[in-house]
Amino acid sequence: MVAELKYEISQNAYIKLVLHALKHKTTAVNGILLGRVNPQNDSVVEITDSVPLFHSNLALLPSLEIALIMIEEHYGSKGLGIVGYFHANERFDDAELGIVAKNIGDHICRYFPQAAIFLLDNKKLEALPMGKDQSPVMQLYIRDASKNWKLAGPDGGSRLVIKEPAANAVLSDYISSEKWQDVVDFDDHLDDIKKDWLNPELFK
Amino acid sequence: MVSKTEETQLNRLENQVDNGGGGAWEYLCLVRKLKVRRSEKVLKYGLSILNDPKKRSALGPEEWTLYEQLAIAAMDCQCLDVAKVIHKRRVAMAKAQGNISVAIEWLNKYLEIFMADHDAWRELADIYLSLQMYKQAAFCYEELLLSHPTVPLYHLTYADVLYTLGGLENLQTAKKYYASTIDLTGGKNTRALLGICLCTSAIARLSKGRSKEDKESPELQSLAAKVLEKEYKQRAADKLGLLTSALRSLKI
């Protein structure tokens, strides 16, 4: 039996995406997951970085196409590829994977067949400052044999992990200091090309 | 037809509310039940409930009914501003509760009456886009463009929607609207410039094997590319390499 794939996201990639969602609380946002299959263990996909994409018109193709070309080009030269997609719904109590997210996820699977979708879990995010939970505030979705997106089962919690155990504590700190204001996404770049979607100074 | 007793009951209730004795909601329910037309009073009492958060939340699911009744009364009294506010709140509530199809229905009804409300057209377009109903979203932008032909954002988003819809005709029209966006914004709108390049590339791919008359002239694309490269060189030099490869991959 083929071992089920595990997804391990780095602290910075993880925090960047959540901060992006917090920066744009009233709209849906999305992002791209970059990484590779772990060279020592091919049942683990490592997500080493992320790029926040858009906070408006997520369903329109032109900006998405340009973003994917540029992102692939940049990370390809570092030996990394697009391995997944992140999505945060507009409404707090909407925990469904919507049609736009699924379609973009399908498109990403053409780059990387085992691509996953991480969906922001608002309830978990809200509970963050109060608990000691080290698991990510995201839900993992993968495609089944019929190419339908399914929420990874009850043990899905252990299939999506953050590499650094203290990540949620760091995230909580950043939230208190309103660090989300510093996050730049691709939308910001297209509005003003001086803004860098690589966010090189974010965690310095 | 309202009976004598019913009319007396209604008038008594009306007097009570008028003199500060409460019972506004009962009055509104009675008016609805008897199907009488007392729009000025309905509007006055209804708004007093709406503007009081305690009274409003005490209504629970009946809040919807209040909105509907108020909207009709407001229009009857020619209080169009009030009608607008009420309609907008209804739509906002429907959206907040995840009732998207209801929000669409009410937005459409609202726009039948208030067709000049561009915020509402945009809101409707956004909802359609989130459901990937691109044709319907395009229609909203067509309405917006009719009434506001010089707003660059509408040209740009309309072009984006058409590109997303795809197909040769839509792509050619999208290209025109990216061009008009560039016209209206002084020539440096990054999204529109990239849009030109994307359209030209997609049109070329679709036109493979067609007769020469359908071939696009390459001037617009190379001009757009030149402007983009110049802008990136000046303001985002570290990304110039990525832009150049992106443009190269589109020229095929």
Side-chain angles (χ1 to χ4, degrees):
Chain A
M1 200 179 104
V2 178
E4 282 189 330
L5 273 182
K6 211 168 134 173
Y7 297 84
E8 185 188 76
I9 184 168
S10 77
Q11 173 171 301
N12 285 354
Y14 168 69
I15 291 180
K16 215 189 291 185
L17 295 169
V18 181
L19 288 180
H20 181 225
L22 287 169
K23 185 174 181 185
H24 303 281
K25 281 206 176 107
T26 58
T27 63
V29 303
N30 57 5
I32 295 293
L33 308 172
L34 287 315
R36 57 181 187 167
V37 175
N38 185 318
Q40 275 93 42
N41 180 354
D42 60 8
S43 63
V44 175
V45 174
E46 303 176 324
I47 294 106
T48 53
D49 203 354
S50 60
V51 173
L53 279 179
F54 308 116
H55 54 270
S56 66
N57 292 334
L58 273 64
L60 294 178
L61 284 184
S63 320
L64 179 63
E65 287 184 11
I66 292 288
L68 289 175
I69 294 175
M70 292 194 179
I71 289 172
E72 226 206 343
E73 173 79 25
H74 174 83
Y75 285 95
S77 60
K78 298 178 192 273
L80 298 171
I82 297 178
V83 296
Y85 171 73
F86 169 79
H87 192 96
N89 286 327
E90 180 177 320
R91 281 186 4 258
F92 177 87
D93 51 7
D94 182 1
E96 256 191 58
L97 190 65
I99 187 171
V100 172
K102 284 183 185 163
N103 279 336
I104 299 180
D106 283 339
H107 185 82
I108 303 281
C109 282
R110 287 196 244 149
Y111 288 85
F112 182 68
Q114 299 109 318
I117 299 181
F118 297 177
L119 183 69
L120 183 71
D121 185 331
N122 284 305
K123 300 223 163 77
K124 261 185 138 179
L125 176 59
E126 197 186 38
L128 198 65
M130 304 165 234
K132 307 253 178 196
D133 194 348
Q134 294 183 338
S135 63
V137 296
M138 297 172 182
Q139 293 186 323
L140 173 68
Y141 281 82
I142 18 202
R143 284 209 310 196
D144 62 17
S146 340
K147 300 210 172 146
N148 293 319
W149 288 99
K150 288 271 143 66
L151 179 62
D155 69 339
S158 58
R159 286 185 64 183
L160 168 55
V161 297
I162 313 174
K163 186 164 175 206
E164 294 87 336
N168 277 334
V170 177
L171 174 59
S172 297
D173 271 343
Y174 280 143
I175 294 175
S176 319
S177 63
E178 300 195 355
K179 186 103 169 123
W180 62 71
Q181 293 178 10
D182 301 339
V183 175
V184 171
D185 64 11
F186 217 88
D187 257 338
D188 298 327
H189 173 78
L190 290 174
D191 289 337
D192 175 3
I193 55 175
K194 276 209 282 280
K195 302 217 167 119
D196 192 346
W197 46 267
L198 284 169
N199 290 286
E201 306 295 313
L202 187 62
F203 296 116
K204 297 250 160 71
Chain B
M1 278 298 281
V2 179
S3 72
K4 209 70 180 109
T5 14
E6 284 167 336
E7 197 176 334
T8 321
Q9 188 187 9
L10 187 64
N11 288 332
R12 194 184 308 135
L13 204 43
E14 197 176 291
N15 268 320
Q16 182 185 308
V17 185
D18 267 338
N19 293 312
W25 180 242
E26 286 70 28
Y27 176 77
L28 291 173
C29 291
L30 193 54
V31 167
R32 269 201 321 275
K33 180 174 158 209
L34 300 176
K35 294 199 180 40
V36 290
R37 192 170 164 179
R38 304 237 173 149
S39 300
E40 265 181 42
K41 295 285 181 198
V42 166
L43 193 56
K44 185 169 155 198
Y45 303 158
L47 283 177
S48 73
I49 298 179
L50 247 197
N51 292 327
D52 181 334
K54 268 207 204 113
K55 288 194 189 144
R56 205 172 69 225
S57 47
L59 288 177
E62 293 287 297
E63 198 176 342
W64 295 117
T65 325
L66 174 62
Y67 279 132
E68 181 132 31
Q69 192 175 10
L70 268 189
I72 297 169
M75 286 194 281
D76 203 19
C77 297
Q78 296 290 308
C79 294
L80 296 181
D81 284 338
V82 176
K84 270 190 186 184
V85 166
I86 293 170
H87 266 104
K88 284 186 172 178
R89 269 203 215 170
R90 282 211 297 180
V91 172
M93 270 179 66
K95 275 175 77 175
Q97 295 179 347
N99 222 328
I100 302 298
S101 45
V102 168
I104 292 179
E105 191 191 316
W106 282 344
L107 261 176
N108 272 306
K109 279 207 188 125
Y110 172 82
L111 284 164
E112 270 170 43
I113 307 164
F114 298 102
M115 51 195 88
D117 188 337
H118 46 106
D119 282 335
W121 279 114
R122 283 198 59 195
E123 194 176 353
L124 184 56
D126 276 348
I127 296 178
Y128 282 139
L129 286 178
S130 72
L131 299 169
Q132 302 203 309
M133 295 166 71
Y134 296 112
K135 281 214 180 83
Q136 290 85 339
F139 174 75
C140 294
Y141 275 98
E142 280 153 17
E143 289 292 321
L144 280 167
L145 285 163
L146 269 176
S147 50
H148 300 82
T150 57
V151 174
L153 181 61
Y154 300 160
H155 288 249
L156 180 63
T157 316
Y158 184 53
D160 281 344
V161 175
L162 288 177
Y163 179 88
T164 309
L165 267 169
L168 195 53
E169 224 179 282
N170 285 330
L171 288 169
Q172 287 165 334
T173 314
K175 192 167 173 180
K176 293 203 177 87
Y177 278 91
Y178 283 127
S180 54
T181 308
I182 294 172
D183 255 342
L184 290 165
T185 55
K188 292 191 186 158
N189 185 305
T190 311
R191 292 173 194 265
L193 291 164
L194 287 167
I196 297 279
C197 299
L198 284 167
C199 279
T200 313
S201 177
I203 290 169
R205 258 182 283 130
L206 282 180
S207 308
K208 267 202 186 124
R210 285 181 166 229
S211 68
K212 276 227 175 95
E213 288 121 56
D214 290 327
K215 284 257 165 70
E216 293 278 315
S217 61
E219 287 115 26
L220 191 51
Q221 186 187 31
S222 47
L223 203 57
K226 277 206 184 79
V227 175
L228 280 166
E229 276 167 350
K230 182 165 167 223
E231 283 298 297
Y232 268 77
K233 210 183 227 162
Q234 279 181 355
R235 302 169 65 227
D238 62 327
K239 296 279 183 303
L240 180 59
L242 291 181
L243 171 74
T244 320
S245 344
L247 291 177
R248 210 182 305 129
S249 71
L250 288 175
K251 263 168 192 165
I252 299 166

